[in-house]
Amino acid sequence: MTPAARLQAVIDLLTEIDETPRPADAVMSAYFRNRRYIGSKDRTAVAQMAYAILRRHARLGWWIEWAGYERPTPRARVLAYLLLEENRNAGVVLEMFSGGKFAPARLTEGELAMVGKLESHTMDHPDMPETVRVECPEWAEGPMRASLGDRFGVEMEKLLEAAPLDLRINPLKANQQSAIKALAKAQITAETTRWSPLGLRVKGRPPLGSVDAFKDGLVEIQDEGSQLVALAVAPKPGHQVVDFCAGAGGKTLAVAALMKNKGRVVACDVLDKRLKRAAERFRRAGLHNIEAHPLTSERDPWVKRHKRKFDRVLVDAPCSGTGTWRRNPDARWRQLGPGLEQLLPLQANILDSAARLVKPGGRLIYATCSMLHDENEAQVEAFLQTHHDFIVKPVAEVWAEEEAGTPPPVEGPYLRLTPARHDTDGFFAAVLERRAEESVSEVALEQGEVDPVELGKAIDA
């Protein structure tokens, strides 16, 4: 493809992203799948520019408005990006928007005026508001400032960067050093991660689909922060474990591998199709201790039938996803699922229901990929107010028990990871242990201090 043809492809791709109610990465995959004639180098160039523009959505929009243009269309954003970020001059831009074969159409009068005003400027401007400069949408500013305090600026700036490519080794098939050697055979450079004893960080963005180490199940793609959440589950061989919101199965894989294929892991989700797609990942990893169980809702009758039968229950709750903005920049601006006001009661309901599965002495692990206090610490505190038989197990204690070989990534009771502090996605996890002794309610029932019918209703709720 010529440089001009690549620009038109970027415009077409951004238009599809704007018009399709799906995440940008899914839209990109479909776009290239339907255009197999686009070569690998061209695909990489087009995708990189599209993502770079998505990461600058607010700033480009601010400049386009500053220049007096009508609205930030895909063409306008591409033009502004070329001038402000790539520092192209107006003459070069006019040549690329030539209207020739496969090239973008010639500039309109309005676009020409915008180009004239933006030429010689850079992406920064002293009048640009901080929320625009750090790409924080209006709905998230208050919650993010409340959660991050004086670290709002530094964390938001780190979220502007592209996320690194992390891999998790499959301990059934490899260790970190043998996986590094296997990747090196495919000309892929990797090094061990700082926090996770199972992690590798890869240099660049090599295509992994055709690499033997990936095809043979030695490694899986998983952010280091997500790996640390799986380690916080601390499953043992022979345990009975539930991944209550398994999704695509990333943490399910990690947990099952930590159990050395012994015991049982039940991967649950309300989206049956996602569980079916995850089955291929389980097979590639050589794991046969996983079974999938679709749920109709968080209150599925299956939960009641399996009350207090599991050693570990992981709740990777649906959330705002603010911790993943490095890899999902479009998620800041496009609400493709429930908003925060719907997520908060849903998270509480899921946590309450999943808690019924935990046996005395077992653990409930609540996790999100959010950086918002309301979705994290506040949810745990509210849960503990109504579930007196659960206590917080501090992360440092879990790490000491597991002898992970790496220092605990945080101080304090919870696993709270941020991009600027840990160079991972933003994650939160709380380990909640159910007391082994009888709960206060059970003792009260034996002593005749409560109505058994009312207590039964409460337990079954």
Side-chain angles (χ1 to χ4, degrees):
M1 299 174 74
T2 64
R6 284 180 176 178
L7 284 183
Q8 184 57 51
V10 172
I11 293 169
D12 293 341
L13 179 53
L14 290 173
T15 300
E16 288 202 17
I17 291 171
D18 284 354
E19 296 175 353
T20 308
R22 298 178 66 198
D25 58 348
V27 177
M28 285 192 190
S29 295
Y31 178 87
F32 290 122
R33 191 166 54 249
N34 294 330
R35 295 165 178 82
R36 298 189 184 277
Y37 55 84
I38 299 179
S40 60
K41 290 184 179 180
D42 290 319
R43 286 198 300 271
T44 299
V46 170
Q48 285 179 343
M49 180 177 282
Y51 266 119
I53 290 170
L54 290 173
R55 293 185 194 286
R56 294 160 177 79
H57 177 87
R59 286 168 287 174
L60 291 172
W62 185 89
W63 273 110
I64 290 167
E65 182 179 352
W66 178 89
Y69 191 67
E70 52 188 19
R71 60 190 180 90
T73 63
R75 272 175 63 94
R77 282 181 278 157
V78 169
L79 285 167
Y81 176 81
L82 292 172
L83 295 159
L84 301 168
E85 186 65 26
E86 295 196 352
N87 300 314
R88 305 293 185 97
N89 61 51
V92 171
V93 171
L94 285 171
E95 288 179 6
M96 299 177 83
F97 283 71
S98 65
K101 188 176 182 181
F102 304 124
R106 291 182 181 275
L107 300 185
T108 64
E109 288 187 10
E111 290 170 339
L112 282 168
M114 180 183 71
V115 167
K117 290 182 179 179
L118 295 183
E119 187 180 22
S120 77
H121 285 283
T122 63
M123 194 65 70
D124 297 321
H125 191 286
D127 294 339
M128 185 179 286
E130 183 186 29
T131 51
V132 173
R133 181 176 57 81
V134 298
E135 300 280 329
C136 185
E138 182 179 352
W139 70 265
E141 180 185 2
M144 287 292 261
R145 287 190 183 278
S147 301
L148 298 174
D150 60 5
R151 293 188 59 81
F152 174 81
V154 67
E155 292 292 352
M156 291 299 299
E157 286 182 359
K158 189 67 175 178
L159 280 169
L160 296 178
E161 299 177 6
L165 176 58
D166 291 343
L167 306 178
R168 177 186 53 78
I169 64 162
N170 179 355
L172 298 178
K173 296 187 174 185
N175 57 41
Q176 285 175 307
Q177 295 307 316
S178 65
I180 288 173
K181 291 178 181 178
L183 291 166
K185 292 179 181 178
Q187 311 301 313
I188 295 174
T189 302
E191 59 183 20
T192 57
T193 47
R194 178 182 179 186
W195 306 106
S196 171
L198 303 175
L200 301 176
R201 181 152 292 179
V202 172
K203 183 177 181 180
R205 294 278 172 180
L208 290 170
S210 59
V211 175
D212 288 341
F214 181 78
K215 292 193 297 183
D216 295 339
L218 275 66
V219 294
E220 279 281 342
I221 299 172
Q222 188 175 31
D223 180 79
E224 185 182 12
S226 182
Q227 296 178 37
L228 295 175
V229 172
L231 288 165
V233 177
K236 301 292 190 295
H239 267 173
Q240 300 287 307
V241 179
V242 173
D243 187 350
F244 200 67
C245 307
K251 295 183 183 68
T252 309
L253 277 167
V255 168
L258 289 169
M259 294 166 62
K260 301 179 180 178
N261 245 342
K262 299 175 182 178
R264 175 189 178 214
V265 182
V266 183
C268 298
D269 204 278
V270 294
L271 298 175
D272 190 17
K273 290 182 179 179
R274 297 186 74 183
L275 290 177
K276 289 179 180 177
R277 289 195 298 268
E280 171 58 24
R281 302 179 71 187
F282 304 154
R283 184 202 62 75
R284 186 174 63 236
L287 294 165
H288 54 257
N289 60 336
I290 303 174
E291 61 184 72
H293 187 88
L295 301 175
T296 56
S297 73
E298 69 274 11
R299 295 287 176 182
D300 191 287
W302 181 88
V303 179
K304 183 177 179 180
R305 292 197 301 269
H306 292 81
K307 281 195 311 181
R308 301 198 174 200
K309 291 186 177 179
F310 290 92
D311 301 281
R312 301 286 188 269
V313 177
L314 170 61
V315 174
D316 187 8
C319 66
S320 63
T322 50
T324 67
W325 281 352
R326 294 192 305 174
R327 65 185 70 252
N328 301 310
D330 61 306
R332 303 169 187 249
W333 312 106
R334 306 169 70 224
Q335 186 172 311
L336 300 177
L340 192 60
E341 63 279 3
Q342 289 87 37
L343 284 168
L344 294 176
L346 176 62
Q347 291 161 356
N349 198 28
I350 290 173
L351 189 57
D352 176 68
S353 182
R356 296 181 291 170
L357 296 167
V358 183
K359 65 169 57 174
R363 295 177 186 173
L364 173 67
I365 299 86
Y366 174 74
T368 73
C369 53
S370 170
M371 298 172 67
L372 303 185
H373 178 272
D374 288 349
E375 297 185 276
N376 297 334
E377 293 91 344
Q379 288 286 19
V380 173
E381 291 160 8
F383 173 84
L384 292 173
Q385 288 292 318
T386 55
H387 296 77
H388 301 294
D389 51 342
F390 281 89
I391 58 172
V392 175
K393 184 80 171 176
V395 170
E397 291 185 17
V398 176
W399 246 247
E401 289 177 358
E402 294 305 297
E403 298 180 352
T406 56
V410 296
E411 297 178 356
Y414 305 129
L415 182 69
R416 194 167 193 265
L417 306 171
T418 70
R421 288 186 187 278
H422 303 94
D423 199 16
T424 68
D425 285 353
F427 276 100
F428 173 87
V431 181
L432 308 172
E433 188 167 88
R434 184 166 232 150
R435 300 178 193 273
E437 66 269 18
E438 293 175 306
S439 69
V440 175
S441 297
E442 289 169 329
V443 172
L445 178 60
E446 288 184 0
Q447 296 175 351
E449 296 177 0
V450 296
D451 183 338
V453 175
E454 293 301 317
L455 180 61
K457 290 180 180 177
I459 292 174
D460 289 339

